[in-house]
Amino acid sequence: MIEIIFFGLFITCVNADGAADVVLSCALVEEGSGLSGMEGGALFSRTPATLVLRDVAVGPEEPLEMLSPFVPPSVPDPELFLFEASVTSPDIPNTDRLLHADCNELEVLCEISRYSSKGLQDSSDQTFFMVSITVEELDFSISLILETLPVEKHQSTLMHNKLGLPLSQSGTLLTKAIFVVFSNTKSLSAPLRGNVVLDCGFKQQEVPLAHQVDVEWRLQHRGKGWKVLDLKTTLDDPEGVHADVNVERKDSSMNAGLVVREGNVSLTLPALKVSDEGTYICTVSIGHFHAQQVIQLHIIQPPHISLSEEKLMLKTPQTLKCFSRNYYPLDAQMEWLFVSPTATEPELFKDQGSLTSHRQHSDGTFSLSSHLVVPPAVPPGTKIICRVSHVGLDAPLDVSVLVETPKIDSYWWFLGFLIVTILFFYQVMK
Ligand SMILES: *[C@@H]1O[C@H](CO)[C@@H](O)[C@H](O)[C@H]1NC(C)=O
């Protein structure tokens, strides 16, 4: 009884929240259509297409009156590529984020291509399309497979000129999403020895496409590629205890239970090394269908910075060294500046010293040092600054040393103090 009431409430909530259509400008990408040679041997042609995601659930904070439903052209045009996709089951995560992407002038990358895979041609007379949508700024990325919906054919049914598929009365190609692979991160960075979770998930239609899922994570870097981990499991095993896991990168892991229960195929990488950097590809396969997500992992380790001297007293020219140690990646800038006793703002030294070459340590990190010869003309009270810039630092980092009055002065001070003390005691003792 209680369950029924809750169910009822839930439905009302969804209705109250409402739904909206997301309309995206895409490109239909087709292989080799005679253009080769023209555009430097372009093997793919791109044709403008429109994708309408129907009835995307929107949150209560959305002013619904702002969201106008998609209106198809009044006269159906069999030349236009108008894809209409129902995305309610499986629901595509975070699609509501796409609602305002266009208004906010975020770049939405959307590509549609025909999906085919071996075995599929024989077993089905439906047509499938692969759609990939990426909005870099929103960390939004999905790959979805659309299946065309059967259209009742009459004499008046319009056929698409290029695709040869029947169109709906409004001239759209009716489809539904059957399989989605998505990620909420396009790119992330982590420090050495840190842990990272590379986000990837999948959803499939209510009637399972198959009962087994294969997940594979691969890493590509500098033209080479290798497998990180793969997992095969039946979707009837909610704890994932019978999963067949093959770990290539030491200690990398995926939670087989989460894979089965939530379609969460995120990869955990502990104790990061420089060699973990690169492009990760998450591939999920169910039956004849497979789709991927790509995630960039950057290793960023800020430098340790120090100076060779804690204080500087100049009677003769003195070499000051600034060390920048164990950073990654390679690019680091070092600058020498000074603040003279009367100034407040630092100025650049004319002589920027000399840099050693980068040294690479066995853990892949780099070190660099710069040597500055400080002339004795630099007056006491001057602050000498070594400034290091590196992607791992939010802002350039300064280390500094103060030029002190030469020791000779303090020696005389000390001597004077000593004489006074002796005289004092001499008086007292007398
Ligand atoms: C998978 O699970 C992790 C850890 O619980 C979570 O951070 C991540 O957002 C989930 N990702 C997906 C795609 O469900």
Side-chain angles (χ1 to χ4, degrees):
M1 191 60 204
I2 288 171
E3 269 170 50
I4 292 168
I5 292 169
F6 271 117
F7 188 65
L9 275 180
F10 181 59
I11 293 288
T12 341
C13 277
V14 170
N15 282 342
D17 284 0
D21 298 338
V22 173
V23 182
L24 300 171
S25 307
C26 304
L28 182 72
V29 181
E30 287 165 299
E31 210 170 339
S33 50
L35 278 173
S36 56
M38 296 278 288
E39 291 165 37
L43 287 171
F44 296 94
S45 73
R46 301 170 69 88
T47 322
T50 304
L51 175 66
V52 184
L53 303 175
R54 279 281 193 208
D55 299 328
V56 169
V58 289
E61 70 281 1
E62 287 292 345
L64 273 182
E65 58 275 20
M66 298 282 287
L67 307 167
S68 43
F70 171 70
V71 184
S74 49
V75 183
D77 182 351
E79 290 279 340
L80 285 183
F81 293 95
L82 256 177
F83 291 82
E84 189 176 333
S86 118
V87 291
T88 38
S89 166
D91 63 319
I92 304 177
N94 304 321
T95 15
D96 52 332
R97 288 202 219 161
L98 288 175
L99 278 175
H100 305 293
D102 257 357
C103 318
N104 296 335
E105 288 177 22
L106 301 182
E107 195 186 354
V108 180
L109 237 95
C110 172
E111 281 187 351
I112 306 175
S113 55
R114 233 181 230 263
Y115 182 85
S116 58
S117 101
K118 254 190 240 145
L120 197 57
Q121 284 105 335
D122 326 323
S123 66
S124 168
D125 44 49
Q126 301 304 95
T127 304
F128 300 91
F129 291 90
M130 167 70 84
V131 181
S132 63
I133 307 172
T134 305
V135 189
E136 206 86 31
E137 286 101 326
L138 296 179
D139 261 337
F140 177 93
S141 182
I142 58 173
S143 298
L144 60 148
I145 293 177
L146 301 179
E147 178 183 354
T148 51
L149 292 177
V151 174
E152 245 185 87
K153 281 188 205 164
H154 308 285
Q155 275 187 328
S156 62
T157 304
L158 212 53
M159 299 295 279
H160 194 278
N161 277 2
K162 297 250 171 54
L163 299 169
L165 296 168
L167 297 174
S168 73
Q169 293 197 332
S170 50
T172 60
L173 201 67
L174 288 178
T175 66
K176 67 168 183 163
I178 56 168
F179 183 47
V180 190
V181 175
F182 60 97
S183 172
N184 298 312
T185 2
K186 279 307 290 169
S187 150
L188 78 168
S189 43
L192 275 185
R193 293 171 287 278
N195 300 339
V196 86
V197 178
L198 301 177
D199 189 56
C200 187
F202 74 91
K203 291 194 175 206
Q204 62 168 330
Q205 63 177 29
E206 229 158 287
V207 182
L209 300 165
H211 287 278
Q212 162 146 341
V213 59
D214 287 15
V215 185
E216 185 189 70
W217 279 94
R218 293 183 67 80
L219 169 60
Q220 280 185 358
H221 196 45
R222 299 188 203 282
K224 280 192 228 144
W226 50 95
K227 192 189 282 181
V228 177
L229 181 148
D230 70 53
L231 177 146
K232 294 185 204 320
T233 182
T234 150
L235 291 167
D236 308 323
D237 173 17
E239 297 309 320
V241 282
H242 302 299
D244 175 8
V245 190
N246 172 16
V247 177
E248 304 268 330
R249 190 279 200 195
K250 193 169 165 278
D251 298 329
S252 65
S253 64
M254 201 183 327
N255 182 328
L258 278 186
V259 173
V260 176
R261 292 191 306 273
E262 296 173 20
N264 187 332
V265 298
S266 299
L267 175 74
T268 303
L269 295 174
L272 289 173
K273 297 190 286 284
V274 161
S275 58
D276 289 318
E277 185 171 65
T279 305
Y280 284 80
I281 301 154
C282 157
T283 308
V284 183
S285 314
I286 297 184
H288 296 303
F289 299 95
H290 57 89
Q292 300 181 324
Q293 281 298 308
V294 174
I295 301 161
Q296 302 289 339
L297 175 65
H298 302 282
I299 302 294
I300 294 183
Q301 183 68 26
H304 294 287
I305 305 162
S306 59
L307 284 173
S308 59
E309 312 295 328
E310 277 176 13
K311 24 176 145 165
L312 212 52
M313 273 172 282
L314 303 165
K315 277 182 280 180
T316 51
Q318 219 177 322
T319 305
L320 185 60
K321 295 176 195 163
C322 183
F323 305 103
S324 183
R325 293 191 177 104
N326 295 99
Y327 55 88
Y328 190 87
L330 180 66
D331 291 310
Q333 260 98 47
M334 292 175 110
E335 274 179 333
W336 289 103
L337 303 104
F338 67 94
V339 188
S340 55
T342 51
T344 49
E345 289 300 307
E347 287 174 66
L348 271 180
F349 262 106
K350 272 218 187 67
D351 168 20
Q352 281 290 308
S354 56
L355 287 174
T356 62
S357 55
H358 288 272
R359 264 171 305 143
Q360 187 162 24
H361 303 278
S362 56
D363 66 357
T365 60
F366 297 96
S367 290
L368 179 71
S369 60
S370 177
H371 300 195
L372 177 75
V373 178
V374 188
V378 173
T382 305
K383 194 161 129 188
I384 299 180
I385 301 168
C386 168
R387 178 168 290 176
V388 178
S389 313
H390 185 261
V391 281
L393 302 167
D394 294 332
L397 202 70
D398 288 355
V399 279
S400 63
V401 61
L402 202 63
V403 178
E404 295 184 4
T405 322
K407 235 196 189 100
I408 186 84
D409 284 9
S410 48
Y411 171 76
W412 283 116
W413 270 109
F414 180 68
L415 204 66
F417 177 72
L418 211 64
I419 290 165
V420 171
T421 319
I422 290 167
L423 282 177
F424 173 74
F425 277 105
Y426 183 73
Q427 290 292 332
V428 172
M429 307 277 261
K430 233 175 34 172

